[in-house]
Amino acid sequence: MEERIGVRQLTVLVIHFMLGTSILIAPSNLAFVAKQDGWLAAILGILIVAASVFLYDALAKRYPKLTYTGIIEVIFGKWIGKVISLLLFGYLFLLTAFLVRVAGNFITTQILPETPIEAVSIILLVVIVAAVGYGIETIARASEILFFPVLILLLLLVLFLLPESKPTNLLPMLERGPKPIVLSAFYLFTLQEVAVFLMLYPNVSKLEKRQMAMLKGIMIGGIAVILTTAFCLMVLGTELTERNLFASYSLAKKISVAQFLRVDAFMAIIWLIALFFKAAICYYGASVALAETIGIRRHRVLILPFGMLVMWLSIIVYQNIVEFLNFTPAIWSLYCSCFVVVLPIVLIIIDRLRFGSKPGGQAQQSQQQGGQEPSGAQGQQQKAETKQSGSNAVQPSNDHIPPPSTQPS
């Protein structure tokens, strides 16, 4: 049975996804390039993320029943589509390994310095594999349950930081011009890989409300990222923010409410919960992408082998923090943009050139009528588009057939 997630669940998943890496790592990278204008770069970056939703939704509306890989196969054709789908799978798979490694680095450097990073990665992967094994519907329900604790902790963090903040640390504005702000905003945009949700779009119960649900999640999660960046700059200052990879965690350490209350634990809990959901969504997307590409009906058979490979890859993906900082802004941002910007634009252009105003499944129905049965993602899209019209077809009447004549006895 196909798994379904609600519109509100999609919004909550997007919020967790936005907080997954940005709330802990983004302030340092934004301050490194844009200095005290890092909060302006955060605003611009979130607006770019919101604008990208219109690009993804324009593509998804053409093929509402297909995932990202399914759309690729229909537009590019079977064989070229499968090659590109494999590249997309590699991107999602590598992204999952990065998320696991970042979590391991955070825990082993900030919370449990004597713990081997392999132990942390194994524990995190066991939870992720179990969640993905239960399905995206279960992950969505868990995100709803954990959303309000995360929201409350974020609000408490902001209240505790207000007395410590110095707004003068944000001045002078635009001292180095707009270029650093634009570069930092692009980096933040590539950290928010919301194109992954194209792998979940067919599971949303109300297709016409997907775009608004995505925008709400991006705005709420984006406000949290902007506030975190601004408070890091106002409390820690520009230099300390850019030198500390986990700046927001150091920010929380500066708060002293009582001797027994550790506010830095709030930030750790918020981030680990959000990162778990982001890693689980990427892991789910990677397994579904490969299953559809190679023609496996049940993606769950790939989940356990993937866990072992992600564990191995997360250990070797980079050697130390310095290597990670050199690789992420320069190489990873360009690599990520190929799948979150370039590929969707190319798909829309080729789709319009090949099929015109009709989606690929409708434009090629003549092949099926001529005796050529489409296969793969194209066949699934065509069947989904013709299911409703087929169910409402008028059956021919037999009233015009005369009754059989009776023979005389």
Side-chain angles (χ1 to χ4, degrees):
M1 186 175 65
E2 185 181 1
E3 295 181 296
R4 310 299 293 175
I5 61 176
V7 174
R8 184 177 61 184
Q9 292 173 335
L10 177 63
T11 300
V12 175
L13 283 174
V14 173
I15 295 172
H16 285 300
F17 196 89
M18 294 284 292
L19 300 178
T21 48
S22 297
I23 197 171
L24 203 65
I25 298 176
S28 174
N29 290 278
L30 293 173
F32 181 77
V33 179
K35 304 302 180 182
Q36 69 271 15
D37 292 327
W39 65 283
L40 293 175
I43 295 175
L44 180 59
I46 297 302
L47 292 177
I48 297 174
V49 175
S52 68
V53 173
F54 294 94
L55 174 66
Y56 307 143
D57 197 67
L59 185 62
K61 282 180 178 177
R62 302 269 289 177
Y63 305 93
K65 298 297 182 181
L66 294 184
T67 62
Y68 201 175
T69 51
I71 296 171
I72 291 171
E73 185 177 333
V74 170
I75 295 177
F76 281 105
K78 182 177 180 181
W79 298 112
I80 297 178
K82 287 187 180 298
V83 172
I84 298 176
S85 296
L86 286 175
L87 295 176
L88 176 62
F89 156 74
Y91 162 69
L92 295 174
F93 189 74
L94 185 59
L95 176 58
T96 306
F98 265 114
L99 294 173
V100 173
R101 180 57 186 266
V102 170
N105 281 339
F106 171 71
I107 293 175
T108 55
T109 58
Q110 303 294 325
I111 301 177
L112 302 172
E114 301 297 328
T115 304
I117 192 171
E118 293 83 359
V120 176
S121 299
I122 289 174
I123 294 173
L124 181 60
L125 274 172
V126 167
V127 179
I128 293 173
V129 168
V132 176
Y134 279 112
I136 191 63
E137 189 174 339
T138 301
I139 295 174
R141 291 176 179 176
S143 69
E144 279 190 300
I145 296 172
L146 294 174
F147 172 68
F148 288 104
V150 168
L151 182 62
I152 292 172
L153 291 177
L154 277 173
L155 293 176
L156 289 175
L157 189 65
V158 170
L159 290 175
F160 292 150
L161 286 172
L162 283 174
E164 305 288 335
S165 61
K166 299 177 182 179
T168 54
N169 290 342
L170 303 179
L171 301 175
M173 295 174 58
L174 298 172
E175 182 183 21
R176 304 173 65 200
K179 185 177 179 180
I181 296 176
V182 174
L183 290 176
S184 299
F186 173 74
Y187 171 72
L188 179 62
F189 167 68
T190 55
L191 275 181
Q192 308 291 351
E193 305 91 346
V194 293
V196 177
F197 282 90
L198 285 172
M199 298 300 300
L200 277 64
Y201 262 25
N203 300 104
V204 181
S205 57
K206 296 180 181 179
L207 303 181
E208 69 280 0
K209 296 184 178 181
R210 293 180 300 190
Q211 178 178 305
M212 185 55 63
M214 291 282 292
L215 290 174
K216 286 180 181 178
I218 289 172
M219 288 297 104
I220 296 173
I223 290 172
V225 174
I226 293 167
L227 288 176
T228 303
T229 304
F231 275 112
C232 284
L233 294 170
M234 288 190 294
V235 176
L236 300 177
T238 303
E239 293 185 3
L240 189 56
T241 300
E242 66 178 283
R243 283 185 297 181
N244 196 327
L245 176 62
F246 306 111
S248 57
Y249 184 73
S250 299
L251 173 70
K253 282 184 175 181
K254 284 188 165 292
I255 303 173
S256 178
V257 178
Q259 293 184 354
F260 64 90
L261 183 60
R262 292 188 58 186
V263 180
D264 57 323
F266 291 2
M267 180 59 69
I269 294 171
I270 292 169
W271 184 71
L272 287 174
I273 291 175
L275 185 130
F276 158 74
F277 285 110
K278 182 168 185 176
I281 291 170
C282 294
Y283 195 93
Y284 172 85
S287 61
V288 173
L290 185 60
E292 290 186 352
T293 303
I294 63 179
I296 297 178
R297 295 181 62 87
R298 293 177 59 85
H299 70 91
R300 285 184 171 89
V301 300
L302 302 172
I303 293 175
L304 187 58
F306 275 3
M308 300 176 185
L309 292 175
V310 170
M311 172 64 195
W312 169 76
L313 185 59
S314 66
I315 300 299
I316 68 169
V317 68
Y318 58 86
Q319 298 298 321
N320 49 54
I321 294 295
V322 176
E323 209 174 278
F324 171 74
L325 293 176
N326 292 332
F327 172 78
T328 304
I331 301 175
W332 178 258
S333 295
L334 296 176
Y335 173 64
C336 176
S337 63
C338 294
F339 297 97
V340 301
V341 180
V342 178
L343 183 56
I345 293 176
V346 172
L347 286 170
I348 290 177
I349 293 174
I350 296 179
D351 181 56
R352 292 290 181 176
L353 292 176
R354 286 191 62 189
F355 307 120
S357 60
K358 293 183 179 181
Q362 291 181 355
Q364 296 188 0
Q365 282 185 7
S366 58
Q367 292 184 0
Q368 184 183 16
Q369 295 173 358
Q372 298 178 2
E373 181 71 21
S375 59
Q378 180 177 309
Q380 294 176 9
Q381 169 69 12
Q382 183 171 331
K383 291 174 182 177
E385 289 167 349
T386 58
K387 181 179 179 181
Q388 183 66 31
S389 60
S391 62
N392 295 330
V394 178
Q395 299 297 327
S397 174
N398 293 326
D399 294 340
H400 67 282
I401 302 176
S405 59
T406 58
Q407 298 296 330
S409 56

